[in-house]
Each structure stands twice: as structure tokens, then as C-alpha cells.
Amino acid sequence: MTLILGLEGTAWNLSVALVSEESVLSEAESTYKPKYGGIHPREAAQHHAAELKDVVSRALRSAKEEEEEFSLASIDAIAFSQGPGMGPCLRTVATAARALSISLKIPLIGVNHCIAHIEVGRWQCGAKDPVVLYVSGANSQVLAYRSGRYRVLGETLDIGIGNALDKFARYLGLSHPGGPKIEDLASKGTDYIYMPYIVKGMDLSFSGLTTAAKDAIDAQPDKKEDVCYSFQETAFAMLTEVTERAMGHLCKDEMLLAGGVGANSRLQQMLQTMCEDRGGRFYVPENRYLKDNSAMIAYLGLLMLKSGNTTPLDKSQVKSNYRPDDAEVTWRN
Ligand code: AMP
Ligand code: MG
């Protein structure tokens, strides 16, 4: 059995997990909650630095509770999120990962955070070769695997859908994360208010939608639910459109949803309907594997270790703009 300790801390969630081929042995986390506004990179990094020791200890302790024979010597490698993410947060977690790798004398593995979202989804759902819709705070991408890379087929040209929702939620006076609160309000909306639907080929744009939603609230402050509903219907239809086009052009019949915004039940419903209509299969993992988590980092670390893909110390610098198509996929053929 191979056992990997994974560290995640690209943004709001600091998380540490121990994962083997069979299961997630343990996972511990600590969430940064901004006092007001959005995620402040330096404050989030300070949160991670202050909490790291405790979160690592909790993950190790619960591994021991789970499996009597577990010890530090059972760990085969340390995996960490090398990017993309917020620079100060990435650096804090990478420093801890290097220290653990050096002191335990085991390999270090720098993981692409987006690909970790994809691989944990494939693992948990059993999808083989899906078109992936990856929707998180900062990212919105449609991807598929081909010849040693996850290719980005379409993506947002400005902000990620999660950030678009969070920004609008902030305007409504709602705290971070705004996505679930918007979902709640949207479920009570009934009347569609016009919103800009911006799809350019396979690419998307969300910032105009946030502005339009703010303008709609200014014009009709008592129509909060309808504006949230219209925002969601528009944004999720845009995402569903490009995902369907990717499936059609690639002749793939599996679709996997990944990333924190994937928890949204209306988005899941639209994608499910689209897949059913074309005779495809829709896969979505449990919420704990959709949001940022360390089990996915440890799991991708495991795939990378087994395919001989480790990261020497002098190549372990963080990459805040690390694109999924920059990472070589050594574990699929
Ligand atoms: P991640 O970075 O993958 O953890 O995703 C975080 C983003 O997911 C934040 O922008 C949240 O607002 C968003 N999010 C979480 N739950 C939901 C939901 N139910 N509906 C829409 N967005 C959500
Ligand atoms: Mg993420």
C-alpha cells in the first residue's frame, strides 16, 4: 500500500489528508473566514501559517485512530498544491511541504490543483474519460484529456463564476462564500430579468453579469430573489452550453463536474438534463471532493508518485498561474 500526505492551501481552505489507493485514511482542515469582503491573500496566508501545525497534527492523530499500525514511517511522499492560487498562501503551504519532505526523507510532489479536482472526481465517480466542467472561485474551464495533457477547451475570459457569485453576494451584504447564499435566494425567484449571456466560441465572460445583477438590484431592490434566480439561470446556461459543445465535438459521452461551484443543485440539474438529452452520463462527486480539499492533492500525488513523477526541491517553487495544460499527465495513457 502507498500512503501520501497531501497539503492544500491555495486560498480559503487549509487542509491536510492521508490517502492510499483504497481510501482517504484521514483529513483535517481549518477554514479562513474573512472578517469582511473577499479573501485577503496575506491574511489567508497568516491563517494558514498559524493553523498548519495543528491541522497536520489532527490529520496524523486521526490516521492513528483509524489504523493502529500507522506511524510517520508509513508515509511514502508529501504532495502539495503547487498552484494555481494566491501567492502568499501557496508559499506558506509549500514551505511546510518541503520541511516535511526533508525531515521525513521522502519525495516531494508538486500538484496542479485543477487537475487534482479532476482526478479525485474520476476516482470517486468512476468516470473514465469525461469532459470536465471545472468551476471554482477563480476558475471556470471546460477540459478533456488528450495525448498526455488535460487540454483547456474553453474558459472564462475574465473572472471565475465563483468570484462572480461572491462579488454579487457581497453587494447584497452577504458574507463569504456567497455562492450558497445566492443559491438559496435564487430558489425563491420566479421571474426572469434580462441578463447578458456572453459566450464567445468556447469561452465565457462573467464580469458583465455581475455588473448587470448589481444594476438590477439598484433598480428593483425588492427583487433580490428574482435577480439571483436570473443570474444563476444565465451563468449556468452559458456553462452548460459550452460543456455540451465540447461533448458533441469530442464525441464523448461522460461529463464530470468539479470545483466548489459544482455543489450548486441548479447547476447540477441543468448539466444532468443536458447529459440525459444526449444519451450521456453525468458524474458529480460528494461536496467534500468538490470544494478545495487535501484528499484530492494526496490522491493526485499518489498517481504521480506511482508514475515516477516527483518534484525535486529546486523545481518546487510555487506557480500562482499554473495552468492545467502546463502539467504533464504521466498516469494516463
Ligand atoms: P473552491 O475554490 O473550488 O473551493 O470553490 C469555492 C467557490 O464555490 C466559492 O466562490 C463559493 O461561493 C462557491 N460555492 C460553494 N458552494 C456553492 C453553491 N452551492 N452554489 C454556488 N457556488 C458555490
Ligand atoms: Mg479549487
Side-chain angles (χ1 to χ4, degrees):
M1 191 180 77
T2 312
L3 193 63
I4 309 290
L5 184 139
L7 298 154
E8 157 62 27
T10 52
W12 60 275
N13 191 26
L14 175 70
S15 172
V16 176
L18 282 147
V19 169
S20 72
E21 290 91 340
E22 285 100 54
S23 66
V24 178
L25 182 58
S26 72
E27 187 168 28
E29 63 179 18
S30 171
T31 305
Y32 158 76
K33 293 189 191 76
K35 278 181 218 80
Y36 56 86
I39 303 173
H40 188 297
R42 179 170 37 79
E43 279 179 12
Q46 279 162 356
H47 164 270
H48 294 357
E51 294 288 316
L52 246 161
K53 182 166 172 279
D54 181 58
V55 178
V56 172
S57 306
R58 278 195 280 131
L60 295 175
R61 245 193 335 265
S62 74
K64 183 79 185 158
E65 282 161 18
E66 206 56 40
E67 240 174 66
E68 183 60 34
E69 60 277 25
F70 169 79
S71 74
L72 284 180
S74 332
I75 305 173
D76 293 290
I78 305 292
F80 71 104
S81 270
Q82 198 169 5
M86 295 177 170
C89 299
L90 290 170
R91 283 190 289 277
T92 301
V93 173
T95 304
R98 287 184 205 108
L100 285 165
S101 159
I102 292 168
S103 61
L104 297 175
K105 299 188 178 62
I106 51 178
L108 183 65
I109 305 168
V111 161
N112 180 288
H113 173 98
C114 314
I115 298 183
H117 272 289
I118 299 174
E119 291 302 346
V120 82
R122 284 180 63 227
W123 184 39
Q124 292 296 314
C125 302
K128 290 195 176 54
D129 185 27
V131 165
V132 181
L133 176 63
Y134 168 48
V135 276
S136 68
N139 297 295
S140 303
Q141 290 172 329
V142 179
L143 310 103
Y145 175 79
R146 180 88 186 250
S147 311
R149 303 262 159 168
Y150 278 101
R151 315 284 166 173
V152 178
L153 304 162
E155 63 190 312
T156 180
L157 298 170
D158 41 54
I159 55 176
I161 175 62
N163 285 353
L165 289 164
D166 293 341
K167 268 181 198 235
F168 178 55
R170 243 169 9 243
Y171 195 72
L172 295 178
L174 304 168
S175 63
H176 184 90
K181 292 154 198 149
I182 301 272
E183 175 171 19
D184 202 41
L185 287 166
S187 69
K188 298 177 196 108
T190 47
D191 292 339
Y192 184 80
I193 297 165
Y194 171 80
M195 297 274 152
Y197 183 103
I198 308 174
V199 173
K200 306 265 183 198
M202 287 294 286
D203 294 326
L204 309 144
S205 159
F206 295 112
S207 70
L209 192 52
T210 305
T211 306
K214 288 179 183 173
D215 289 348
I217 285 291
D218 289 346
Q220 299 166 286
D222 55 332
K223 292 271 161 78
K224 239 187 231 176
E225 286 91 354
D226 286 338
V227 176
C228 290
Y229 164 76
S230 308
F231 188 122
Q232 280 201 173
E233 291 301 300
T234 309
F236 297 166
M238 288 162 52
L239 290 163
T240 305
E241 180 195 325
V242 289
T243 307
E244 176 165 33
R245 191 149 50 243
M247 292 175 78
H249 282 263
L250 295 173
C251 303
K252 289 193 197 289
D253 59 4
E254 294 181 319
M255 194 249 129
L256 173 70
L257 182 56
V261 182
N264 188 290
S265 51
R266 179 61 182 142
L267 176 60
Q268 292 186 7
Q269 189 184 41
M270 278 196 198
L271 293 165
Q272 167 100 48
T273 304
M274 178 274 283
C275 288
E276 273 170 14
D277 284 354
R278 47 182 302 111
R281 265 159 303 155
F282 171 63
Y283 294 99
V284 57
E286 287 172 54
N287 281 357
R288 60 181 285 212
Y289 298 117
L290 282 168
K291 64 168 195 158
D292 288 349
N293 65 90
S294 53
M296 68 181 192
I297 303 302
Y299 179 68
L300 178 50
L302 179 89
L303 298 178
M304 290 173 69
L305 181 75
K306 292 193 135 193
S307 56
N309 187 349
T310 61
T311 310
L313 269 188
D314 64 349
K315 296 254 162 52
S316 69
Q317 75 280 14
V318 303
K319 304 175 187 177
S320 54
N321 296 317
Y322 194 5
R323 288 181 58 83
D325 43 6
D326 279 341
E328 197 191 338
V329 175
T330 47
W331 57 92
R332 288 188 62 167
N333 43 36

